[in-house]
Structures are given as structure tokens and as C-alpha cells.
Amino acid sequence: MAQLGAISSSSSTNFVFNGANKPEPALGRNQICYSNKFSSVSSWFNGNALVHNNLNLTRASNNKVIQAVAASEKGVDVSVSPKTGGGLRGKLNKVVLAYSGGLDTSVIVPWLRENYGCEVVCFTADVGQGIKELDGLEAKAKASGACQLVVKDLQEEFVKDYIFPCLRAGAIYERKYLLGTSMARPVIAKAMVDVAKEVGADAVSHGCTGKGNDQVRFELTFFALNPELNVVAPWREWEITGREDAIEYAKKHNIPIPVTKKSIYSRDRNLWHLSHEGDILEDPANEPTKDMYMMSVDPEDAPDQPEYVEIGIVSGIPVSVNGKELSPASLLSQLNDTGGRHGIGRIDMVENRLVGMKSRGVYETPGGTILFSAVRELESLTLDRETIQVKDQLALKYAELVYAGRWFDPLRESMDEFMKKITETTTGSVTLKLYKGSVTVTGRTSPYSLYRQDISSFESGQIYDQADAAGFIKLYGLPMRVRAMLEKGI
């Protein structure tokens, strides 16, 4: 995504801002502490956080984590203080909340404090959703009553450790869905578990509804990585039933309502895809509007000239574009731009949610569609028939496990080792032609190719004697011949 280019992710550096005029404890290698009250991380450039409002900034290396401690706003009104014995529903010490800064999570912060008498640490993961989604989060968290904000750049980890294994496995859910949201949830939830350990939290919380898949994906990850953590799911507990209720709750507790234009669609964006649900899409008979799409142009409006792109692959994992080696996140970001220009990767489908209902969604996955085409075509050279058949069968189960939130299930991990082993020789390059929404393979090459021109040629050769086919056909067709003889009484 072009707008994400300002956020770089390479070597790991942590920034800690302390609003209480005392440094935080040392957090480890490549981490820097600041001890001035600050307003917000207000701009980004070349992977480095630039902090304004009289805060002295010392840069070490490209940031991996930006962590901010924000004092709770005095104006926030909660009926039970964290200093007392508990809240309306019980007592928790500290809760790490998956935080976006929108209306729902802004309301969840005071709701947790009121109902569990706890401190709330807001956590935001950068998985490539865009710079606008990260802007002003510190101020929003502070205004809602959070004691701390943690932002982690997970883009490289997301692509390298989650997207690329699924790509290597060929995992596609229900024939179409490339698992964009499904892959993002476990990397976010894993980071929440890590943050909970760092800050000494005894609980985690999310803003997922009781009807969706995401609640399962978050909580199964929590269970797998730290079964001792308490899990709070406000949408399954509170009396708030919609946007108006949330606004009233915010007003009652003096919580500033985020000033954002509410989209008519429910969207989820990360470096792999952008999903659209809701509004007119709830009727499967309705065609999506042209202005709904954000990552890709309408194929009708795409360039009239095709563009060729060469993808370099090593052991089933993409490593280069047009001969230039790139980091996983950079490679995907570049292909998103390229594919989006040509209207690549639009999918409209009705899927079966894990919780039982059907839902209609529209997905944009430009870079991912290009990569899936490339890896699959290279496998046609490097894998034999039986291996491809077994791999395709297992890919269905692999996709189901990922969709269902079972990323850290031993079965998926074992299947991943199988996929890694059989794709050891899936190395080479694939050339693709992008044109008005289509991806066409024009060339493929591999040093481990099982294709032999001297065997496949129609010309006679020493390795394959065409006369041998007669005996093969007789033996291969024997069961059919015997059955026909039985039916005819021969």
C-alpha cells in the first residue's frame, strides 16, 4: 500500500514515553526511554517516530515498537475506581485491550474500569491498516481513561510468519477467500499476550461481537499461549446494543466521542487485503458499488496496456520482484500497488462463518492474488502428481484451521512442517501478465524442474518409447475391460 510506505519495519527498537516524569524500567535491547509529558506521536517518517510538543527525541534504529504511557484523564468519570476493591462485575488488576481508537473501543476502556475496577492498557497492532488508523491514538486512549498505550509494528512478522506460510500451503477458504482477516488475528493476539506479560496484566479484552469469527480467533490464541489469562468480551456482557447506546454511554461517562465519519460498510484492512461487509452487501443479489473499492481500480478503468511482473521464489516463499530482493512486507506492499493499478484481486463471495451463519463479503487482495498465481504455477514444474494432489487436499484443512482461529493448533503446525518439506525444491521464477483484472502466467523456470523437453517432445527419444504405452493402457484399463466383459456375458 502506497500510504503505508512511511512506516518501515526492520530492526527492533522500542520507544517508551512516560507521562509521570520518571523513566520506565529498562525494557531490553534496542529500547529507549523518555520521561517528559507529551501530546502524541504525531508524525512518522522512514520508520522513525517523530514526537512533537517539546519532547526531545533520540533516534537509535528503525522502530519495531512504540510504547506510550498516558496518564488517565481527570475528566473521565467511572463509578468505581481501580483503587477500590473491584467493579460492578468483579475485580481484575490490569487488562490489555485490543484498541483501534474508534467508538466501540473508546467506550470499552471506561466500561472495563467501571465493571472490573482495573487499569486498562490499550494495545494497537500495526499490520498495515494505514497511517490514518494510527494517528492520534495516544490522545484518544488518554481521553478514554487508559493508563498506557502500546503500539507495535507487526508488518514484517505478519507477512513472514503468517501470510507466507499460508501462501506456501496454498490455503484458500471455500474456493475464494485468501484468509486476510483470519491470518491477522493470531499475530495481534500473540502480541497482546506478550504485552500482558510485559505490563503484568492478568486479563485481555477485545471488541469483537458475539456473531463473528474474530472472537474465536482472538480467544483461541489467548488459550493456546497463556491459559491463565482472563478474557473479557464486552459485547457478550454489556447492555450496549448498538452505536446510539455506545454514544449515550460515552456522554454519561464524559468520554470524548471520536470525530470520524461512520462508513456504511464494515471494513477490515491490513497489508494482505481489505474486506467490505454490511449495507447493500447484506443482500447477495446486490452488485457492489464502484466507489466502494479502495485498494484497486475498476478493471474497466485499468490501463489499456498489460504489465509484466517476475516473481522470484525460494522454497515456496516469494523473495523478489523483477529481480530485486525485498523484505516480506515491502514485497507485498509493492505488489499491492502494482496489482491495484490493474484491478487485480477482487473477490465477491458468500461464506460460511465459523459460528454457523452465512455472510456476504467483498475482498480486495491484489498482491496476494499475484503471489498465489506465481507459487501455484511454479509448483506445476517442481511437484509430481501425487504430491500436488495430497498438498491440495491438505490445503483445504489448513485453510479451515486458519479460518477457525486454530493457528497455534498442533495439527496446523505439523501440517506446516509438511508443507515446508515438500516445497523445498519449489524455487525459481514466474512471469505474469497483469491486464484489466486478470493474471495470466506467461513463463516459469526452476533449477529443480521435473519437466524434461527430451521426454515431453512428440519426437521419439531414448528415455520414453511410445510403443511401451500399449502395455500400460491394457493394464491400466483392465478393470474397465473386465466389467464390460461381465455386462456383455463374455
Side-chain angles (χ1 to χ4, degrees):
M1 302 175 195
Q3 64 267 42
L4 297 182
I7 302 181
S8 172
S9 51
S10 52
S11 57
S12 175
T13 301
N14 291 358
F15 297 81
V16 180
F17 306 90
N18 189 329
N21 283 327
K22 65 178 181 178
E24 286 291 299
L27 297 178
R29 183 175 176 268
N30 288 337
Q31 298 180 332
I32 307 170
C33 292
Y34 304 90
S35 58
N36 282 332
K37 186 176 180 61
F38 69 101
S39 173
S40 65
V41 178
S42 58
S43 63
W44 301 71
F45 184 73
N46 291 335
N48 305 304
L50 304 181
V51 185
H52 302 290
N53 292 352
N54 300 320
L55 175 64
N56 293 325
L57 179 70
T58 304
R59 175 178 175 270
S61 60
N62 287 341
N63 65 297
K64 182 71 176 176
V65 179
I66 300 101
Q67 192 173 45
V69 179
S72 298
E73 190 76 8
K74 293 182 178 179
V76 175
D77 176 27
V78 291
S79 54
V80 180
S81 169
K83 301 297 183 181
T84 65
L88 300 176
R89 296 172 183 265
K91 173 60 182 174
L92 293 171
N93 175 45
K94 187 179 292 186
V95 179
V96 175
L97 168 66
Y99 181 75
S100 68
L103 175 62
D104 291 351
T105 52
S106 294
V107 169
I108 288 175
V109 174
W111 185 89
L112 288 170
R113 296 181 66 203
E114 179 181 25
N115 285 273
Y116 290 96
C118 59
E119 292 182 288
V120 180
V121 175
C122 288
F123 171 75
T124 300
D126 179 8
V127 288
Q129 62 267 45
I131 190 66
K132 291 182 179 179
E133 297 293 328
L134 303 175
D135 187 41
L137 283 182
E138 181 267 332
K140 294 177 183 178
K142 180 178 178 181
S144 296
C147 72
Q148 188 174 352
L149 170 69
V150 180
V151 180
K152 286 194 176 185
D153 184 348
L154 303 178
Q155 292 184 76
E156 292 291 352
E157 179 183 355
F158 177 39
V159 181
K160 176 178 177 289
D161 297 336
Y162 294 80
I163 290 177
F164 280 0
C166 284
L167 177 65
R168 178 176 58 201
I172 301 176
Y173 182 71
E174 294 191 338
R175 305 170 183 170
K176 288 185 177 182
Y177 179 42
L178 298 183
L179 299 168
T181 301
S182 309
M183 295 185 293
R185 297 307 181 238
V187 70
I188 296 171
K190 176 180 178 294
M192 290 178 66
V193 172
D194 294 339
V195 170
K197 181 178 180 181
E198 293 170 8
V199 302
D202 56 342
V204 286
S205 180
H206 59 76
C208 306
T209 71
K211 285 187 175 182
N213 298 312
D214 283 345
Q215 57 181 336
V216 182
R217 295 163 181 159
F218 272 104
E219 294 180 33
L220 291 191
T221 301
F222 298 150
F223 295 160
L225 300 183
N226 188 349
E228 295 181 333
L229 281 173
N230 296 292
V231 180
V232 183
W235 274 104
R236 301 202 300 257
E237 296 184 28
W238 62 15
E239 290 72 31
I240 295 175
T241 60
R243 184 175 177 84
E244 296 304 318
D245 288 346
I247 292 174
E248 286 302 314
Y249 185 92
K251 290 180 179 178
K252 179 181 177 182
H253 294 80
N254 298 323
I255 304 300
I257 300 173
V259 182
T260 57
K261 181 180 179 181
K262 178 173 169 52
S263 171
I264 61 174
Y265 300 106
S266 173
R267 289 187 168 105
D268 177 73
R269 185 167 191 163
N270 57 49
L271 199 52
W272 183 246
H273 87 159
L274 173 61
S275 65
H276 311 264
E277 292 181 332
D279 198 62
I280 65 168
L281 299 180
E282 292 185 352
D283 183 350
N286 289 334
E287 180 181 4
T289 59
K290 189 172 182 177
D291 61 357
M292 181 192 74
Y293 295 92
M294 301 174 68
M295 289 184 71
S296 59
V297 304
D298 192 310
E300 296 177 358
D301 301 326
D304 293 330
Q305 296 299 319
E307 180 174 353
Y308 290 82
V309 60
E310 181 184 4
I311 308 298
I313 298 168
V314 174
S315 298
I317 300 297
V319 296
S320 67
V321 177
N322 296 329
K324 181 179 180 181
E325 292 190 7
L326 299 166
S327 73
S330 298
L331 184 147
L332 179 56
S333 180
Q334 179 173 323
L335 289 178
N336 279 334
D337 292 340
T338 303
R341 267 196 318 271
H342 294 275
I344 305 297
R346 293 184 172 190
I347 294 296
D348 184 341
M349 68 179 293
V350 175
E351 67 193 67
N352 291 291
R353 283 185 181 174
L354 180 63
V355 294
M357 69 185 73
K358 285 184 180 291
S359 66
R360 193 263 189 103
V362 175
Y363 302 98
E364 297 178 79
T365 320
T369 301
I370 294 171
L371 290 175
F372 256 93
S373 298
V375 172
R376 177 167 291 185
E377 284 301 321
L378 188 60
E379 288 179 347
S380 71
L381 286 183
T382 62
L383 301 183
D384 61 77
R385 177 178 58 196
E386 283 70 26
T387 300
I388 288 178
Q389 290 175 354
V390 172
K391 182 176 184 293
D392 286 349
Q393 292 170 3
L394 292 178
L396 295 175
K397 185 62 178 179
Y398 194 108
E400 289 177 4
L401 291 172
V402 176
Y403 187 84
R406 307 187 76 90
W407 184 269
F408 295 99
D409 191 296
L411 176 58
R412 190 213 63 84
E413 293 173 340
S414 298
M415 291 172 65
D416 200 53
E417 289 301 313
F418 170 80
M419 297 297 182
K420 185 185 300 183
K421 178 63 180 177
I422 64 170
T423 57
E424 284 179 342
T425 58
T426 303
T427 296
S429 65
V430 177
T431 302
L432 306 160
K433 181 170 72 173
L434 313 179
Y435 181 67
K436 291 191 177 295
S438 67
V439 181
T440 306
V441 178
T442 61
R444 53 191 78 67
T445 180
S446 170
Y448 303 103
S449 175
L450 299 177
Y451 178 86
R452 290 281 300 265
Q453 188 173 351
D454 57 344
I455 298 176
S456 301
S457 172
F458 285 106
E459 302 295 330
S460 296
Q462 295 181 347
I463 298 178
Y464 187 95
D465 187 343
Q466 297 188 41
D468 294 340
F472 165 75
I473 294 172
K474 288 181 179 180
L475 294 177
Y476 185 69
L478 182 61
M480 298 177 68
R481 189 174 186 181
V482 170
R483 179 176 295 277
M485 292 171 64
L486 176 64
E487 292 174 351
K488 293 182 179 297
I490 301 176

